[in-house]
Amino acid sequence: MHKILHTNLGRALFFTALGFGLFLASNRIDELRVYQGATLAMFVVAISSLILLTGYSGQVSLGHGAIMAIGAYAAALARIHWGLPVWLCFSAAVVVAAFAGAVLGTAAARLSGPYLAGTTLALAVGLPSIANQFHVLGGEQGLLFDIGQPPSWLGADFTSYKWYFWIGSSACLITLWWLQNILRSRYGRTWRAVRGNEVAAQLCGIHAGKSKTLAFSVSSGLAGLAGALLAMTISTVSPSAFPLSLSFTLLTGAVLSGITTLPGVIIGAVTLVATPEIADAISQRMANSESVTTNLPGLLVSALLILVVLFVPNGPVEQMRMFRVKARSHTKN
Amino acid sequence: MYQFINTVLNGITSGAIFSLMAIALVLVWRSTRVINFAQSGMALLSTYIGFECIQRLHSFWIALPLSMIAGAFFAALVDTFFMRVLFRRTADGPISGVAPIIATLGLLGLIRSSLGMIVGNSDASIRPPVSNVGFTVSGHTLAFSPLKLMTLSMVIALMLGLTLVFQRTNLGLALRASAYAPEIARLAGVRVDAIRTIGWALAGAAGAAAGMLQTPNGNGALAPDSLEFNLLLVFGFIAAVIGGLESLVGAVVGGLVLGLFLAFIQYYVSGSLVFIAAFCILIIVLLLKPKGLLGSKAGRRA
């Protein structure tokens, strides 16, 4: 299994096979699960963008939700004003968000310290006031993002949820495949070198500031894609779809995935999709008062974030691996 | 002319509150090398405690110090039982640099959602303790009111107190020493861990004061999901960055500069541009003077 993933062709084949498996599965499960599958794909893309930034380049963004919003607005504007086909809208989301990331990154990411965290947090806090300022963004109501009906050759009983799921999971698989490649490339090694020891990396001729800015820009591009996927599943783009709590949620997902390992990403994404349902179940059984219902998901997510950072800071997957390595070395001795 | 005076006075008042928040952030940054993004949540909690005190004791003047004490106490608890454990557990490892930041964000979420659960959507509000109708000077009503004067003088008094502590007491010396060179301070017999907790406590008190003074200056309403406290955190952060993150004087100057600038934007350009202008200032300062307006050239690496 691991050997297959170590070659380029092997990785491509693996992800294609995974994709076919998912597509076949989507015909067998009910609509709600298909819709949740689309949300899951969105979270996988968003979390892996954060893992790339935090785990592989050692920076942290507290406002990735706002960067997702940038991508979503770009996609919606491209759709409304130019009527671009869907895949071009998604490309526009990636490009615009990556560009915004490059601008922010030039200011904040090249500096060491908490600057990137604070700047992205500021962006997330101010998103509603920015959206209200420009009429083209549609204010509080936001914009419609309608990707249209699924193509007719897919058959008459092919629902839009299924169409969302297909688009979402294709985007997600392409992202994961591409990330596996770039993290094994020169860039991935450079990012890890800067994260490990900035001074030593600079001695090797790496420009630390540029490397960090590039990592932030790439991560922003992926977050933009995730934003467009989120906008697709809810058909609108508005400030309330990208609240501050979305950024918190993504960080929780990333920490749960183990922010230094990409394969754990599915754990984080599944948890994020399941949390609102669990919160719903608890609040229905318990009090069923409004203040509990609205705040329980946030409480669960932030409690989870704190517990994971305190007790398994490298994430459950990495922790398991370390246990196994330890156990193995014990038996050898 | 009156417009100009109004703008300057209001700018200084709101800038003074930003300065308090910036001081809170800088105090924590100097003592533990973390920007405490939970500061807005901690300020919110202390302000709620202040509100409860007002309900029971009917006096803003007793509630203010009580809420500051509560804020200091809570911050000290957070440092002792949460941050210290966290630093121990993530001391080495790939995410040691970002774990504290993520943890403070988790704390912010935790405080806000638990507060939301406890107080629900009951409408809490803090009424101005003194009149908020502007002074009248030769027929013109200024926007500067007794409330703003009170706010400004409270902030100045707090800052004077803090300066005295930092410059004239042994505690202040220990605080400065453990921020500047923790290892050497430890060798000199300073209990750096305890001093750090005191730094957190001072920051908690400053944040509480910022929250208590900001609320009646705004629309007075308190809500667990209030945007106002998040904006206070963001503006405090921008003020701290303008001042160079390291120095308390810088934080005060940064707050005043930001307050004045935003007041001029608000009164002369457009009120809805305030946030965007603040964000632009942040980007420009980071691009041109990343060590802050007062920062030395050889600023230390974080």
Side-chain angles (χ1 to χ4, degrees):
Chain A
M1 182 68 191
H2 277 276
K3 267 181 194 151
I4 298 174
L5 287 178
H6 278 292
T7 62
N8 269 325
L9 184 67
R11 280 199 293 277
L13 283 176
F14 174 74
F15 281 112
T16 319
L18 200 61
F20 271 115
L22 282 175
F23 291 155
L24 291 179
S26 76
N27 286 325
R28 305 223 164 258
I29 49 182
D30 65 296
E31 282 290 280
L32 177 66
R33 300 289 168 219
V34 171
Y35 182 75
Q36 284 180 334
T39 316
L40 188 76
M42 181 276 291
F43 273 131
V44 168
V45 177
I47 293 175
S48 43
S49 80
L50 210 48
I51 289 178
L52 166 84
L53 183 71
T54 308
Y56 288 83
S57 115
Q59 311 173 75
V60 64
S61 159
L62 305 185
H64 243 46
I67 300 188
M68 284 173 69
I70 293 176
Y73 274 109
L77 288 174
R79 185 78 184 166
I80 292 170
H81 290 288
W82 299 321
L84 293 183
V86 174
W87 65 274
L88 269 181
C89 292
F90 284 104
S91 318
V94 175
V95 171
V96 172
F99 178 73
V103 173
L104 281 180
T106 313
R110 72 198 162 91
L111 304 170
S112 46
Y115 295 102
L116 186 65
T119 310
T120 47
L121 182 73
L123 191 64
V125 168
L127 180 73
S129 79
I130 296 174
N132 286 332
Q133 186 58 36
F134 300 103
H135 284 291
V136 68
L137 299 182
E140 286 289 331
Q141 275 81 41
L143 304 169
L144 271 183
F145 182 52
D146 181 18
I147 62 159
Q149 292 300 311
S152 51
W153 52 265
L154 284 169
D157 59 342
F158 194 84
T159 58
S160 9
Y161 284 170
K162 220 172 264 180
W163 182 224
Y164 294 163
F165 175 72
W166 279 36
I167 293 178
S169 44
S170 320
C172 160
L173 289 176
I174 293 171
T175 305
L176 285 180
W177 172 73
W178 183 77
L179 267 180
Q180 289 284 339
N181 282 338
I182 196 167
L183 290 177
R184 281 157 212 265
S185 75
R186 200 180 113 207
Y187 297 106
R189 285 195 299 275
T190 312
W191 291 333
R192 259 170 292 164
V194 173
R195 183 200 75 192
N197 188 332
E198 201 169 317
V199 179
Q202 278 171 326
L203 278 175
C204 297
I206 294 171
H207 193 300
K210 272 185 197 160
S211 154
K212 284 180 174 178
T213 311
L214 181 70
F216 185 61
S217 181
V218 170
S219 164
S220 302
L222 291 180
L225 176 63
L229 289 173
L230 176 60
M232 172 186 78
T233 54
I234 56 176
S235 305
T236 50
V237 187
S238 65
S240 58
F242 300 90
L244 193 56
S245 54
L246 175 65
S247 306
F248 293 16
T249 310
L250 291 181
L251 263 181
T252 308
V255 173
L256 259 179
S257 309
I259 51 183
T260 53
T261 44
L262 204 46
V265 65
I266 198 76
I267 300 180
V270 168
T271 315
L272 294 194
V273 174
T275 310
E277 291 210 350
I278 297 172
D280 242 25
I282 296 177
S283 58
Q284 266 173 19
R285 192 153 303 173
M286 270 172 45
N288 215 3
S289 80
E290 199 199 324
S291 58
V292 172
T293 318
T294 47
N295 287 301
L296 195 60
L299 187 70
L300 286 182
V301 164
S302 21
L304 207 56
L305 178 59
I306 286 180
L307 289 179
V308 174
V309 170
L310 268 184
F311 294 108
V312 274
N314 297 325
V317 177
E318 184 70 14
Q319 205 75 17
M320 289 285 278
R321 203 181 61 85
M322 272 153 66
F323 272 132
R324 272 211 305 267
V325 171
K326 247 185 210 165
R328 209 174 296 159
S329 62
H330 271 297
T331 46
K332 262 182 202 163
N333 294 338
Chain B
M1 188 59 204
Y2 282 106
Q3 168 92 349
F4 182 78
I5 295 173
N6 267 340
T7 312
V8 170
L9 288 175
N10 280 333
I12 290 179
T13 313
S14 54
I17 299 178
F18 300 158
S19 299
L20 269 185
M21 202 64 185
I23 284 177
L25 292 177
V26 167
L27 278 171
V28 169
W29 170 254
R30 280 164 51 122
S31 56
T32 33
R33 299 280 136 198
V34 180
I35 285 289
N36 181 13
F37 290 105
Q39 195 77 61
S40 70
M42 286 155 71
L44 189 64
L45 183 68
S46 327
T47 310
Y48 260 103
I49 292 173
F51 164 73
E52 286 297 324
C53 292
I54 293 178
Q55 293 294 82
R56 285 179 177 63
L57 305 168
H58 305 287
S59 163
F60 183 85
W61 305 109
I62 306 173
L64 180 64
L66 283 180
S67 105
M68 285 172 66
I69 291 169
F73 190 65
F74 183 67
L77 282 184
V78 166
D79 182 52
T80 323
F81 292 106
F82 183 55
M83 296 313 282
R84 277 193 204 174
V85 181
L86 184 83
F87 278 116
R88 251 203 323 275
R89 297 193 67 101
T90 59
D92 50 335
I95 69 159
S96 59
V98 294
I101 301 182
I102 296 177
T104 59
L105 198 73
L107 194 62
L108 175 60
L110 199 63
I111 295 175
R112 288 178 77 112
S113 39
S114 353
L115 255 183
M117 269 195 185
I118 296 165
V119 300
N121 33 16
S122 61
D123 44 343
S125 70
I126 295 182
R127 272 182 293 125
V130 291
S131 158
N132 59 353
V133 179
F135 290 112
T136 310
V137 179
S138 62
H140 289 270
T141 306
L142 294 178
F144 194 70
S145 57
L147 175 67
K148 304 228 169 197
L149 183 65
M150 183 276 284
T151 309
L152 195 56
S153 33
M154 288 304 299
V155 174
I156 292 173
L158 288 174
M159 283 174 185
L160 281 180
L162 202 60
T163 316
L164 279 181
V165 169
F166 263 82
Q167 299 297 336
R168 289 273 183 274
T169 62
N170 284 337
L171 173 66
L173 190 64
L175 276 164
R176 280 183 288 151
S178 30
Y180 184 69
E183 285 304 312
I184 298 173
R186 189 170 284 128
L187 290 177
V190 176
R191 288 175 58 202
V192 175
D193 278 347
I195 293 294
R196 280 179 174 170
T197 307
I198 292 174
W200 270 76
L202 285 176
M212 284 297 279
L213 293 173
Q214 171 68 31
T215 309
N217 267 303
N219 56 7
L222 259 182
D225 54 349
S226 92
L227 179 65
E228 195 147 6
F229 276 79
N230 281 341
L231 281 181
L232 195 60
L233 173 73
V234 167
F235 288 156
F237 175 74
I238 297 177
V241 169
I242 294 176
L245 268 191
E246 285 290 332
S247 88
L248 291 169
V249 182
V252 176
V253 173
L256 292 180
V257 168
L258 185 68
L260 277 174
F261 175 75
L262 294 185
F264 274 98
I265 293 282
Q266 185 171 7
Y267 287 94
Y268 285 90
V269 188
S270 154
S272 55
L273 274 178
V274 166
F275 180 81
I276 297 175
F279 194 72
C280 291
I281 285 284
L282 175 64
I283 298 291
I284 291 169
V285 169
L286 286 180
L287 281 176
L288 301 181
K289 296 277 278 180
K291 303 286 178 218
L293 295 183
L294 300 184
S296 58
K297 266 183 196 147
R300 58 177 293 172
R301 277 161 185 275

